[in-house]
Amino acid sequence: MTGFPRDFVWGVSTAAQQIEGAVDADGRTPSIWDTFAHRPGTIADGSDADVTCDHYHRWPEDLALLGELGVGAYRFSTSWSRVVPEASGKPNAAGLDFYERLTDALLERGVAPVVNLYHWDLPQWAQDEGGWRDRDTVARYAEYAGIVAGRLGDRVATWSTFNEPFEHCMLGHVTGEHAPGLTLPLDEAFAVAHHLLLAHGNGVRVLREAGAASIMSINSYAPARPASESDADRTVAALYDVLQNRLFTEPLLLGAYPEEVAPLVEPFVREGDLELIASPVDRWGVNYYAINAVRAVDGPIPLEVVAPEGYPRTAFGWAVAPEGLGEVLRDLGDRYGDALPPLVVTENGCAYDDVVDEDGRCDDPDRVRYLSGHLDAVAGAIEAGADVRGYFVWSLTDNFEWAEGFTKRFGLAYLDYTTGERIPKTSFGWYRDRIRAARGGEG
Ligand code: IFM
């Protein structure tokens, strides 16, 4: 059990759209994901996000789970369409009350709230006004950020502006697999990328004005390997590395787009944008799940991402490759040096086909192996010099896994979607014990 400083932050992460349900309660209006999920054929099991884990009503049970786990921090996101349900921009007091109750209850339990302002759930009204293709959405995001920070800013120390803009941009606006389900040509999608980044910059400004102590940007990383030795696969693996690992990171850290894509983004960039985007942040959120292999294909998107050969796979088909996490943590330091703030692993986890046995237990040894291996990789990276300050498991309970609906279970606790019951899995007790041991046996 070496490698974890005593003040290392142990946490779990969730997202509003995936857990809250209650999509029309207390004034909330639809997000793009509510609209998308109700469109036939979009979600693998034909489900929607109307109820999910019903966290909006059952949050005290989820807080009790956090207490049992003994985590020091809980990362959740606020739902924009719960806080600002209409294009008028008027704040919804009932929506803000919910997040205030949650925040206060976390603080009472000694769990630090980590509030993420955007996890892919744009209000439908904002999409109808043009969504992220439209620069005006940046200003709407800043208004929303100011409203949340105005209500919670005196209690929440740690904030993040966005989660995984790469996936939201590409899956939502290029491949159409995610909401809002657009299939824009890649060059038009760079408008979306730039506006997401600009909104982040505005978010940092607004959060600083509200006195935020610590602000994060959260991006996903996946080492990219060519699927074969062919020149075509090598070329698209390099392109994928730029898009997945550098397109969002370099403007944020260096104030410049990677030269491979800069001319394509340039039409959307105005004076002062890059300075704002590169506003200093305090922590760097790293989401990691797998190493990817990339192969060349014909079509408007010239590449396909597949699992590399030779690794065990999760139920999602993703490679179980803990060394990839170590590689990501070390490479960020190598690539960006002093420009890189201290790192936090803000998501790491795996989907398996978990079942509850006749004794009511859910045994998930594959998840224990996965998490254990990845924590070892984090410890190894720290020993090798990476400045990693925290680790958050995705996720507290099984939840709505976007286009996969409820078919993919990532939770430390099993969610019975018929009764809403939360059943801690073996991995839940394992994580609790691992946290205790890392803290030197304290509860
Ligand atoms: O469930 C998602 C989460 O919303 C964003 N990061 C990846 C997770 C697993 O796919």
Side-chain angles (χ1 to χ4, degrees):
M1 197 72 55
T2 55
F4 294 106
R6 283 184 72 85
D7 59 355
F8 193 78
V9 179
W10 299 94
V12 289
S13 292
T14 63
Q17 185 80 52
Q18 294 178 271
I19 63 168
E20 284 182 4
V23 288
D24 55 7
D26 299 332
R28 184 188 182 281
T29 57
S31 73
I32 52 173
W33 268 97
D34 298 315
T35 309
F36 182 75
H38 280 279
R39 207 176 289 156
T42 54
I43 310 295
D45 55 1
S47 61
D48 56 52
D50 290 2
V51 178
T52 62
C53 312
D54 200 19
H55 169 81
Y56 188 74
H57 297 113
R58 302 182 73 138
W59 63 270
E61 290 170 61
D62 293 332
L63 246 72
L65 288 174
L66 293 172
E68 279 174 48
L69 262 183
V71 287
Y74 173 57
R75 182 190 136 203
F76 63 94
S77 74
T78 48
S79 153
W80 184 344
S81 51
R82 202 180 284 295
V83 172
V84 185
E86 308 283 351
S88 69
K90 189 167 172 281
N92 176 26
L96 286 161
D97 289 347
F98 170 67
Y99 295 114
E100 190 171 67
R101 281 196 298 279
L102 182 63
T103 299
D104 287 345
L106 286 165
L107 291 170
E108 271 163 32
R109 284 184 176 273
V111 178
V114 175
V115 178
N116 173 34
L117 289 168
Y118 188 84
H119 199 122
W120 306 353
D121 49 354
L122 190 72
Q124 185 59 47
W125 63 256
Q127 186 63 37
D128 295 342
E129 289 186 344
W132 290 112
R133 273 177 299 175
D134 186 343
R135 195 175 164 106
D136 289 348
T137 301
V138 174
R140 307 312 305 266
Y141 171 87
E143 289 164 18
Y144 154 67
I147 291 167
V148 181
R151 179 64 89 89
L152 302 180
D154 58 344
R155 275 156 280 187
V156 173
T158 307
W159 295 81
S160 94
T161 51
F162 279 85
N163 181 75
E164 296 183 1
F166 167 76
E167 278 74 10
H168 187 46
C169 177
M170 296 302 167
L171 302 180
H173 301 80
V174 179
T175 68
E177 294 159 78
H178 279 190
L182 301 181
T183 50
L184 302 174
L186 202 50
D187 52 355
E188 279 183 46
F190 286 118
V192 173
H194 186 63
H195 296 150
L196 288 167
L197 283 162
L198 198 54
H200 158 86
N202 276 276
V204 173
R205 178 180 52 77
V206 166
L207 288 166
R208 290 275 181 236
E209 283 164 11
S214 182
I215 304 176
M216 277 196 283
S217 160
I218 298 180
N219 288 280
S220 60
Y221 296 92
R225 315 265 194 256
S228 76
E229 293 304 309
S230 74
D231 287 347
D233 285 356
R234 282 173 185 280
T235 303
V236 290
L239 170 64
Y240 174 79
D241 181 49
V242 172
L243 297 176
Q244 165 85 61
N245 298 319
R246 295 172 50 210
L247 168 62
F248 288 89
T249 297
E250 297 195 358
L252 291 166
L253 287 179
L254 307 178
Y257 283 99
E259 60 183 19
E260 295 86 340
V261 293
L264 300 169
V265 195
E266 206 179 272
F268 310 108
V269 180
R270 296 192 194 157
E271 207 182 324
D273 284 2
L274 284 160
E275 288 73 13
L276 187 62
I277 289 170
S279 302
V281 291
D282 309 286
R283 293 285 182 270
W284 198 256
V286 171
N287 292 358
Y288 172 82
Y289 289 87
I291 288 175
N292 285 332
V294 190
R295 72 168 162 242
V297 291
D298 288 333
I301 306 165
L303 59 86
E304 187 185 11
V305 176
V306 293
E309 300 295 329
Y311 291 91
R313 308 228 175 138
T314 69
F316 227 133
W318 299 349
V320 179
E323 70 270 28
L325 177 53
E327 183 178 327
V328 163
L329 296 171
R330 285 188 304 271
D331 278 4
L332 281 166
D334 292 346
R335 274 182 173 170
Y336 305 113
D338 291 345
L340 185 71
L343 305 170
V344 176
V345 177
T346 33
E347 280 183 31
N348 178 231
C350 49
Y352 285 105
D353 295 326
D354 305 313
V355 288
V356 175
D357 68 20
E358 51 199 23
D359 299 324
R361 279 200 297 264
C362 182
D363 192 24
D364 57 342
D366 288 333
R367 181 169 292 99
V368 171
R369 250 190 309 278
Y370 179 101
L371 295 175
S372 174
H374 285 72
L375 270 181
D376 288 347
V378 176
I382 293 173
E383 273 160 25
D387 185 1
V388 189
R389 306 285 180 94
Y391 174 88
F392 289 62
V393 171
W394 182 270
S395 185
L396 177 62
T397 65
D398 299 332
N399 56 48
F400 178 71
E401 178 54 28
W402 309 113
E404 301 297 322
F406 299 108
T407 64
K408 299 289 179 285
R409 294 181 175 273
F410 277 89
L412 294 170
Y414 182 95
L415 209 301
D416 181 330
Y417 292 111
T418 313
T419 62
E421 190 185 356
R422 282 91 164 124
I423 302 166
K425 304 177 189 175
T426 302
S427 58
F428 182 99
W430 171 86
Y431 191 44
R432 177 198 59 213
D433 294 347
R434 183 88 200 232
I435 294 171
R436 266 189 207 154
R439 287 189 185 136
E442 296 160 20

